[in-house]
Structure formats: C-alpha cells, structure tokens
C-alpha cells in the first residue's frame, strides 16, 4: 500500500436501496475507515524508527526479548492493510457495476484518477531522493529507471533502494492495471447473466482464481525453488501480494452484493474473528510457517476487522471518525513516502541519539513523527492537491475536454406580461 487515499464511495443499500421492515437504516456517506489508514501510516513510521536503532555487529534490536519487540516486528501486517483497503475501496465500484447496481467505470478514467492521485508525489519523492543520493551524474541511472517505471519490485537489489516504502507503490501500480482490465470485462459481461446469484458467483470465482494464482506461486517459490528468505523481489512482487489485494476484493463483492451485519453483536463477532485469524497468523509465524504465508493469514484477518466496520448498518467505533484520525488519513500517503528520507536527513544532522539503548528508539520515533507529520501536511497542500486538479481537464470518461467547443445556445424566456413584445 501503497498509502493511497481514494474518495470512498457510498455503500450500496440492500433491497434496492430500501431498508427492510424493522431494519436499521444503512450508514450513509463514507465507510468510516480513515482511522485504519491513519494508524497504519503512523505505526509504519514508528517501526522504521525502531529498525533504524539496530546496533552492534549483529544488528541487535533495542527491545529484543520483550513483548514490545515482538509487537513491533509484527507491524508489517499493516502494510497488508493498505492492500486490503485498496482492493476493497477500488474494487467496490466495479463490483457494483458488475452486479448491475452501479454505473460502469471506464478503465481510462479509473487509471487516470489513480495516476493523478499517486504518481506526482511518487515521482517528486523518487527524483529528490535519487538526486541527493547521486550528486554526480550519471549516478545509479539503472535504479532511477527501475523506480520511474515501477519495475524496481522485480529487482532483488533495487526493490528497497532509494526509498524503501516505494516498493508498495510499484506493487499497487500492477494491481490498478489488473483491476482496470478485469473490472471493465466484468461490468460489461456479468450484467447479462440472468440472476444476481450467478453474477456474485462469477465474481467470487474470479477472485478466488487470483488468490489461487498467488498461493500456487508462493508454494512454488518456497517448496519447489527454495528461494532464500532475503530474495526480496521474490516475496514482495505483485504476484506474491496478489492474494492480499484479492482478499480486499472479496470484501468489495460482499459489500456490493448487499451483505450487512444486522446488529452490533454480529459486528463484534466478525471483528473478534478477524483478530483471531491475525493471532493465528502470528502464532504460525513463530512456529516455522514460511513468512509469505503468514501474510495471507494477516490479510484475511484484517479483512474481517475492516468488514466489521464497513458492512455495519450502524456507525463503527468513534475513533475511526475522530477528526484528527480523518486528518491524518488525508495526508497518510505523504507521511508514508516522505518519512524514510526525512529519517535519513535527520540522522545526517547527528541530532539523534546513538543506537543501542531503548531510549534512543523512543527519541527517534518521537522526533520522526514530529517532523514527518507537518512535512506531510505541507506536501499534501503543495503537491497532492494541485495534482488532483488535473482531473478537471478530463471528462468522466477520462477523455480530454474540448475547451473550444461553442457554448450551447440559450433561449431567452419571454415575459408573458409583455404579450410577446419588447
């Protein structure tokens, strides 16, 4: 995840938009998931502050042997949350269109909106960091080309180079193209089916195939090829993460099909089930399950936690809608992309304490958050907001507007009191 922050569509109400007799009215407006994205972004920043404070010849972790060390080491599942949210929020309009309850979404317009939303900031961050890291031309031009073409995710050497978090944007780019292609096909073909159950089955089957492709790839990589654990491009490429994105698509299909939790008790049970699946994934991780399969469990568990809120007929926890959380969510993409370069700059000033003491980690985390958040707000206003205005040059189909077309003729209304005379 990427930390994309798409405009969240309204959930489709069941029963043709009318609540059933005695049923609570479905939530209106957003899915109220901003809090998840905000927490994920801040926790990722804190983890990288922790990672920065490894010390000694063998790179010891400052809190190693404590509960907090294990908690921080499992925060990588929050990157899976970004993929789940992307699959859900971006797949939802396509699922509605495929089920005949929403307007078709042109692939051109979808990809253009994604590009306008994400690429300008991504390019600026990559170019700035690369230029600083390569003051003498031609520099590491191969690394630059790989990042500019989103192909660094296939390079074991460069996948985390220049800006480590940028790998998720490379993965997301492939998911966007895949969703545009498959979504365009589904919304054109599936509405022709005779029943809604057949449409839902087709969507679920197609999504299950995507999950199966990813799992088969993982089995091949782990048990057939026995790739090493530091084969980063093997475990972090789009195919390896496809199952997590597709799990988010499952939630989008369920939401578009009208699935809702009837009461708070069911919602709580779903959320607790998700927490249980996440706990199982952690337990398996510590019991020699290959790392890549643990993330499949994390994705499934996170999907259930998100579903507890997204498919609720009532508002979810208040903290998800808390104004500071919503505000942080708005700038979470900038937080995510800028925090690592900021950490490198701060570290270069030698203002941070030397690694080796837990206190050094705490200071690093506080300083990094304190600097990264204001920079993110500035970045959002200066880069992200102006970039999104580019969409005004295109129509809803994603085609450039023709500003030279003649204005439509306007017929001046006649005042009856004048009896047709001036």
């Amino acid at each position: 995840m990427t930390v994309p922050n798409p405009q969240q569509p309204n959930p489709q109400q069941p029963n043709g938009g009318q609540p059933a007799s005695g049923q609570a009215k479905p939530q209106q407006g957003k899915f109220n998931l901003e809090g998840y994205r905000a927490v994920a972004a801040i926790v990722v920043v804190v983890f990288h502050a922790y990672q920065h404070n490894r010390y000694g010849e063998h790179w010891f972790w400052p809190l190693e042997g404590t509960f907090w060390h294990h908690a921080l080491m499992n925060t990588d599942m929050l990157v899976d949350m970004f993929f789940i949210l992307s699959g859900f929020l971006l797949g939802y309009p396509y699922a509605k269109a495929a089920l005949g309850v929403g307007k078709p979404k042109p692939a051109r317009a979808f990809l253009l909106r994604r590009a306008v939303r994400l690429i300008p900031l991504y390019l600026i961050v990559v170019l700035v960091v690369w230029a600083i890291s390569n003051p003498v031309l031609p520099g590491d031009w191969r690394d630059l080309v790989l990042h500019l073409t989103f192909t660094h995710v296939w390079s074991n050497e460069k996948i985390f180079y220049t800006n480590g978090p940028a790998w998720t944007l490379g993965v997301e780019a492939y998911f966007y193209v895949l969703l545009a292609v498959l979504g365009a096909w589904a919304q054109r073909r599936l509405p022709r089916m005779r029943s809604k159950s057949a449409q839902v089955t087709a969507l679920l089957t197609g999504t299950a195939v995507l999950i199966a492709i990813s799992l088969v790839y993982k089995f091949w990589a782990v048990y057939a090829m026995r790739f090493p654990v530091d084969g980063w491009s093997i475990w972090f490429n789009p195919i390896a993460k496809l199952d997590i994105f597709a799990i988010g698509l499952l939630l989008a299909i369920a939401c578009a099909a009208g699935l809702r939790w009837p009461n708070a008790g069911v919602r709580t049970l779903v959320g607790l089930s998700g927490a249980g699946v996440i706990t199982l994934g952690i337990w398996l991780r510590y019991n020699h399950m290959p790392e890549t399969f643990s993330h499949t469990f994390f994705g499934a568990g996170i999907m259930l936690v998100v579903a507890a809120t997204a498919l609720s007929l009532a508002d979810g926890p208040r903290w998800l809608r808390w104004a500071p959380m919503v505000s942080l969510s708005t700038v979470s993409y900038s937080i995510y992309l800028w925090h690592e370069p900021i950490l490198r700059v701060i570290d270069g000033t030698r203002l941070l304490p030397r690694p080796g003491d837990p206190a050094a980690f705490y200071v690093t985390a506080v300083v990094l958050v304190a600097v990264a958040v204001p920079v993110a707000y500035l970045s959002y206003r200066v880069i992200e907001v102006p970039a999104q205005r580019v969409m005004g040059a295109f129509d809803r189909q994603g085609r450039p507007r023709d500003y030279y077309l003649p204005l439509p003729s306007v017929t001046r209304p006649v005042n009856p009191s004048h009896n047709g005379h001036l």
Side-chain angles (χ1 to χ4, degrees):
M1 168 284 11
T2 140
V3 190
N5 184 20
Q7 182 179 0
Q8 299 173 346
N10 296 338
Q12 181 67 28
Q13 298 181 4
N15 305 319
Q18 299 298 324
S21 177
Q23 187 180 47
K25 186 177 180 180
Q27 63 181 14
Q28 298 294 323
K30 296 184 178 181
F31 284 118
N32 296 324
L33 303 178
E34 288 87 350
Y36 292 125
R37 186 182 290 108
V39 168
I42 295 299
V43 171
V44 168
V45 173
V46 172
F47 172 75
H48 284 152
Y50 184 57
Q51 187 180 54
H52 175 77
N53 277 271
R54 291 177 296 175
Y55 65 96
E57 181 181 353
H58 300 288
W59 293 99
F60 291 112
W61 296 87
L63 298 177
E64 196 159 357
T66 69
F67 166 81
W68 294 110
H69 170 75
H70 295 294
L72 285 164
M73 294 304 292
N74 281 286
T75 56
D76 58 347
M77 71 176 69
L78 295 179
V79 177
D80 299 328
M81 179 180 286
F82 295 144
F83 293 134
I84 292 293
L85 291 174
S86 289
F88 171 44
L89 296 171
L90 300 180
Y92 176 67
Y94 276 119
K96 286 203 304 179
L99 296 177
V101 293
K103 294 181 179 179
K105 191 176 184 69
R108 180 194 295 109
F110 168 75
L111 291 175
L112 182 61
R113 288 191 183 94
R114 290 291 85 208
V116 167
R117 177 67 184 88
L118 302 177
I119 290 181
L121 178 59
Y122 173 84
L123 291 182
I124 289 174
V125 172
V126 168
L127 289 172
V128 167
V129 176
W130 186 89
I132 294 174
S133 303
N134 296 267
V136 179
L137 296 178
D140 190 351
W141 61 269
R142 178 173 174 267
D143 169 64
L144 180 61
V145 170
L146 289 174
H147 276 79
L148 295 181
T149 58
F150 298 99
T151 53
H152 57 293
V153 293
W154 304 105
S155 170
N156 200 55
E157 179 186 4
K158 302 299 183 181
I159 185 171
F160 301 135
Y161 214 67
T162 296
N163 188 4
W167 75 269
T168 60
L169 271 297
V171 170
E172 289 265 12
Y174 290 89
F175 290 161
Y176 297 155
V177 174
L178 178 66
L179 183 58
V181 172
L182 296 182
W185 181 88
Q187 67 186 8
R188 183 172 63 252
R189 296 298 182 91
L190 267 60
R192 303 175 186 176
M193 293 184 173
R194 296 182 178 181
S195 66
K196 182 177 179 180
S197 61
Q199 296 169 342
V200 172
T201 300
L203 285 176
L204 292 176
T205 301
T207 306
V209 169
L210 297 180
I211 295 174
I213 290 173
S214 184
L215 291 177
V216 168
Y217 167 81
K218 291 179 179 182
F219 273 100
W220 170 79
V222 172
Y223 298 110
M225 300 304 297
R226 300 184 181 276
F227 287 114
V229 294
D230 59 353
W232 310 121
S233 62
I234 301 298
W235 314 118
F236 291 87
N237 66 47
I239 304 176
K241 298 299 180 181
L242 179 58
D243 56 336
I244 302 171
F245 181 76
I247 289 172
L249 293 178
L250 289 178
L251 180 56
I253 296 167
C255 189
L259 177 63
R260 299 293 184 272
W261 315 129
N263 53 56
V266 175
R267 181 182 69 198
T268 301
L269 181 61
V270 173
L272 291 175
S273 298
V277 174
I278 292 172
T279 302
L280 176 61
I282 295 174
W283 182 83
L284 291 171
R285 185 183 221 177
Y286 284 106
N287 285 271
H288 309 296
M289 168 176 272
E291 190 87 3
T292 187
F293 294 114
S294 297
H295 286 280
T296 304
F297 281 88
F298 295 154
I302 290 169
M303 184 270 285
L304 290 173
V305 171
V306 172
T309 300
L311 303 187
S312 176
L313 292 173
D315 291 333
R318 290 185 178 180
W319 70 269
L320 289 172
R321 310 185 306 277
W322 188 36
M325 285 293 183
V326 175
S327 181
L328 279 176
S329 174
T330 302
V331 301
S332 59
Y333 180 42
S334 282
I335 292 175
Y336 187 75
L337 279 187
W338 281 118
H339 78 272
E340 186 181 276
I342 289 172
L343 177 57
R344 291 165 60 183
V345 170
I346 297 174
D347 186 54
T349 64
R350 298 185 179 180
L351 295 176
L352 296 176
R354 294 184 62 183
D357 189 304
F361 154 58
Y362 302 139
V363 172
T364 302
V366 170
V367 171
L368 181 56
V369 171
V371 176
V373 170
V375 169
Y377 277 100
L378 178 63
S379 171
Y380 177 76
R381 293 297 179 187
V382 174
I383 301 174
E384 294 188 65
V385 171
Q388 292 179 62
R389 291 174 180 160
V390 172
M391 283 304 301
F394 300 87
D395 61 20
R396 292 185 177 181
Q397 302 298 316
R399 299 188 181 92
R401 296 183 187 275
D402 189 346
Y403 291 97
Y404 296 96
L405 287 174
L407 294 174
S409 59
V410 179
T411 303
R412 182 179 179 182
V414 177
N415 192 333
S417 63
H418 292 164
N419 296 318
H421 299 284
L422 293 178

